[in-house]
Amino acid sequence: MNPSMAAAHRKTFVAAMAAGGGGVAIFRTGPEKVRNRDVHFPFRPDSDFWYLTAFPEPDAVAVLIAAPDGEDNGAASSDRFVLFVRPKDPEMETWHGRRAGIDGATALYGADEAHSIDDLDAELPKLLRGAARLFYRTGDAGSEDFDRKLLSSLQQMYARTRDGVTGPATIVEPGTLLHEQRLVKTADEIAVLRRASVITVEGHRAVAAALNPGMYEYELEATVNGVFRRRGGWGPGYPSIVAGGDNATILHYTENDQPIADGALLLVDAGCEVDGYTADVTRCYPASGRFTDAQKALYEVVLEAELRGIGRVAPGNTFHSVHEEARRALIEGMLAIGLLTGSLDEVLEGGADQRFFMHKTSHWLGIDVHDVGKYWTDGAEADKTSRPLQAGMVLTVEPGLYIAADDETAPEEFRGIGIRIEDDVLVTADGHEVLTGDAPKTIADVEAACAAGAGAR
C-alpha cells in the first residue's frame, strides 16, 4: 500500500474520532510468530494497523490523537500520528533485513513523531493524558501482556487525579468507527482490488490449462500460487483450496495432497493478495477437460444461483437478499434434477437444502478475506435487519452444492461431487461490477480454458 493511501485513511478515521468527542487510538501489529524452533512464519501486518499506517514491519504500535472538533484534547498537541518502531540495528539488519527505524517512520511513512518501541512504556502515558476516550481493542490473541500494561498505565493515571492528571474514562472498540470505514472502499482501494482480481484470474486460467488426470492437487496449488508471486502479489490471501473429487465436498479442504482421478471435478478456491488486499475466487474444472452429465447438471444449478445472486447486488438491496435469491435458485434447481423432493416453499421452510448447501452466499471482501463491517442494522436484537448495500462495498457471491460420497439418500450419480462458483462483486452507484468476471465460468468457457492445455493431455 502506498503510504499516501494510509494517510487518507487516517485522515478519515481521525475526523470520525473528532466528531464524536476526540480521543486517542492505539493499534498494534504483532510480532513474528515461531513456526518451529527458530523458523518463523512469513510476517503479515495486522489489518487495521496496515490500513492506517502502511508500515510493514513487526513489533510496532501506532497512536492516533484526535482533538474534539474545534478544541484541543489536552494532549501535548492535537491530531498527531505517532509510531513506535524497532530502531535501526546494523547487526540484526545484516541477518534479517533492513528496518525503517525511527527516522524512516517519519520520512517514509508520514508519522508526526516516532520513537523506539523500547520507549513505549514511558511515552504512552504522556500521549494518553487528558484524552476523553481511548480507542483500543482488548482481548486479541497474543495481546494479553500489552493489555495488562495499558490497563496498569490507566490505573496509575486514575490514581493521580488529585494532582490534576486525567486520562480516558471510556475505552471504545475502534472497529465501531474503523470497520465501517474499511467496509466502503475508496477509489485507490478498488484499484488495488482490481489488480488482485486480474492476477487471480490469470492464476485460475493457468490451473485450467495445466490440469491433467493423475496430477496431484499440490501441483495445481503450486501453479496458482506461482502465478500470484510471479505477477508481483504477496501470494495467496488465504490457504489455497485445491480439491479433487469428493475432497471438494469439504468446504475448507487444504491438505491438497491427493491425486486427481480421471473424470473427477477439481474445485479451486484461491485469491491473490496485493498490497494487503485479497481477491477470493472459486472455479471448478473437469480433469478430463469435459464435464460429465451429472457434473454438468449440478454445475448449471450452481451457476444459475450465482448469476441470480449477483443480480441482486445493487444499492438499496439488502446484503441478505443476495443469499435469499441464490438459495431460492439452488432449491429450484435441486428440485428439477431430483436432488430434493417436495415444493419450493416446503424446502425453504424446512431447510432440507442445507444438507447440500450449508453456508451463506456472501461475505465482505477487502484487506481481510472475510472483511470487516456490520451485516445487520443497529437496534434491538429483534429489530435488526440486513443492511442495505451501498456503492463502494465489495462482497463475494459464492453458492455451492456438496454431495458427500457416502450420502446414500442422494442419487448415486451426484455423490462425491462438490461445486462452488465464486466471484468478487463491487457495488456501484447504479448496480454492480463483477471484478473477477474474466475467470471462465460457463460450461463452454471452462471447457475451452481446459482445452488450452489439451496438448499436454
Side-chain angles (χ1 to χ4, degrees):
M1 184 192 304
N2 190 305
S4 64
M5 279 179 62
H9 298 162
R10 286 195 304 275
K11 182 177 180 180
T12 301
F13 179 65
V14 167
M17 289 173 61
V24 174
I26 299 174
F27 296 92
R28 302 171 56 248
T29 196
E32 293 181 295
K33 298 292 181 66
V34 173
R35 178 183 182 273
N36 59 288
R37 196 169 172 80
D38 57 355
V39 177
H40 291 84
F41 286 105
F43 178 73
R44 199 274 194 186
D46 172 80
S47 294
D48 285 343
F49 180 90
W50 176 250
Y51 178 83
L52 291 167
T53 70
F55 191 76
E57 299 178 23
D59 298 315
V61 173
V63 180
L64 303 180
I65 301 172
D69 281 346
E71 300 179 25
D72 189 310
N73 70 354
S77 65
S78 299
D79 294 354
R80 281 186 296 158
F81 168 37
V82 183
L83 266 178
F84 292 85
V85 302
R86 301 176 305 176
K88 298 285 286 183
D89 185 327
E91 181 178 358
M92 292 300 292
E93 290 179 66
T94 297
W95 283 93
H96 300 295
R98 299 179 181 86
R99 299 178 178 182
I102 295 168
D103 291 341
T106 55
L108 301 176
Y109 296 97
D112 296 306
E113 64 181 83
H115 304 273
S116 167
I117 191 65
D118 298 326
D119 296 331
L120 180 68
D121 290 349
E123 295 295 328
L124 190 56
K126 302 174 188 176
L127 299 173
L128 291 170
R129 189 169 298 173
R133 299 182 297 171
L134 169 62
F135 290 80
Y136 176 72
R137 181 181 303 112
T138 60
D140 277 352
S143 71
E144 294 85 357
D145 288 345
F146 190 88
D147 289 355
R148 282 193 292 270
K149 287 182 180 181
L150 179 59
L151 294 174
S152 176
S153 294
L154 292 176
Q155 290 298 332
Q156 294 175 31
M157 194 174 295
Y158 300 152
R160 297 183 58 196
T161 55
R162 285 182 296 178
D163 299 328
V165 176
T166 62
T170 304
I171 298 178
V172 182
E173 160 58 49
T176 57
L177 295 180
L178 185 61
H179 291 174
E180 289 299 289
Q181 177 182 328
R182 278 179 53 187
L183 176 56
V184 180
K185 273 57 179 179
T186 65
D188 286 337
E189 291 180 286
I190 292 168
V192 178
L193 283 167
R194 289 188 198 283
R195 184 177 167 216
S197 298
V198 167
I199 298 174
T200 297
V201 169
E202 289 186 22
H204 276 266
R205 287 189 174 276
V207 167
L211 175 59
N212 278 301
M215 294 182 75
Y216 278 79
E217 294 162 340
Y218 54 71
E219 296 180 73
L220 282 309
E221 178 186 12
T223 296
V224 69
N225 290 356
V227 171
F228 295 168
R229 288 295 287 139
R230 284 195 300 274
R231 292 283 280 107
W234 286 6
Y238 52 92
S240 296
I241 297 169
V242 183
D246 65 353
N247 291 334
T249 67
I250 302 170
L251 300 185
H252 289 163
Y253 172 83
T254 54
E255 286 86 349
N256 300 348
D257 61 359
Q258 296 299 304
I260 302 163
D262 193 5
L265 203 59
L266 180 73
L267 183 153
V268 179
D269 185 339
C272 181
E273 186 174 33
V274 173
D275 290 344
Y277 291 79
T278 188
D280 182 8
V281 174
T282 308
R283 291 292 189 267
C284 295
Y285 308 104
S288 65
R290 297 187 68 83
F291 290 87
T292 67
D293 289 343
Q295 292 166 354
K296 185 180 296 186
L298 288 174
Y299 191 93
E300 288 176 337
V301 171
V302 177
L303 179 58
E304 175 66 14
E306 199 229 13
L307 294 174
R308 282 173 53 176
I310 290 173
R312 290 293 302 168
V313 178
N317 290 343
T318 66
F319 175 87
H320 191 60
S321 71
V322 177
H323 172 69
E324 290 174 326
E325 184 63 27
R327 183 189 174 207
R328 180 178 291 268
L330 283 177
I331 294 171
E332 290 172 355
M334 285 189 279
L335 290 169
I337 65 173
L339 189 56
L340 290 176
T341 59
S343 69
L344 173 63
D345 289 341
E346 287 171 344
V347 178
L348 285 170
E349 179 67 24
D353 59 307
Q354 293 173 24
R355 182 157 51 101
F356 306 121
F357 178 48
M358 59 289 293
H359 60 79
K360 298 297 185 184
T361 303
S362 300
H363 57 77
W364 304 132
L365 186 70
I367 288 183
D368 292 308
V369 65
H370 297 134
D371 210 24
V372 294
K374 295 177 182 176
Y375 290 92
W376 303 90
T377 60
D378 291 328
E381 193 70 29
D383 298 330
K384 290 184 183 296
T385 58
S386 180
R387 74 182 298 165
L389 299 174
Q390 66 185 84
M393 293 177 171
V394 180
L395 65 154
T396 65
V397 179
E398 50 177 309
L401 290 177
Y402 314 91
I403 296 87
D406 59 357
D407 188 346
E408 296 183 358
T409 67
E412 186 174 358
E413 66 268 23
F414 296 142
R415 297 175 197 169
I417 300 176
I419 296 172
R420 181 166 62 252
I421 306 173
E422 175 183 21
D423 278 299
D424 305 339
V425 186
L426 167 68
V427 186
T428 62
D430 56 359
H432 64 262
E433 176 188 347
V434 182
L435 299 177
T436 52
D438 286 340
K441 185 164 64 175
T442 67
I443 285 176
D445 286 347
V446 170
E447 291 182 344
C450 292
R457 293 195 180 96

